[in-house]
Amino acid sequence: MKTQNDKKLDNPVWFSLLETHQNFAMNSGNIKFYPPDYCPFGGFEKGDAIAKSIDKYAAMVDNFFQ
């Protein structure tokens, strides 16, 4: 049986930006990124429409891998 902490470990960047690092989060609906000058990580909830947000963030950074 999965606990809440197991769920957080399945999606650590999302939960970090949702909770502990929420002041760093660049929010774009159901996707969140760290500012590109801080680190190149982002997270999202599975199943959400995120293509536009990813494209927008990718245009802000020199290197972006999906």
Side-chain angles (χ1 to χ4, degrees):
M1 182 167 83
K2 281 196 167 195
T3 67
Q4 179 65 20
N5 286 335
D6 290 334
K7 183 179 177 186
K8 288 180 180 183
L9 291 174
D10 289 341
N11 199 347
V13 176
W14 171 259
F15 282 99
S16 178
L17 289 166
L18 186 66
E19 299 172 351
T20 305
H21 291 160
Q22 64 183 313
N23 292 335
F24 295 105
M26 297 174 60
N27 293 304
S28 184
N30 291 327
I31 188 169
K32 299 176 186 306
F33 292 100
Y34 283 97
D37 59 337
Y38 184 75
C39 73
F41 296 115
F44 61 95
E45 288 281 87
K46 187 171 155 182
D48 292 328
I50 58 167
K52 284 184 183 180
S53 297
I54 289 176
D55 290 343
K56 185 178 174 182
Y57 183 79
M60 296 170 35
V61 297
D62 293 331
N63 296 303
F64 184 80
F65 302 96
Q66 291 186 39

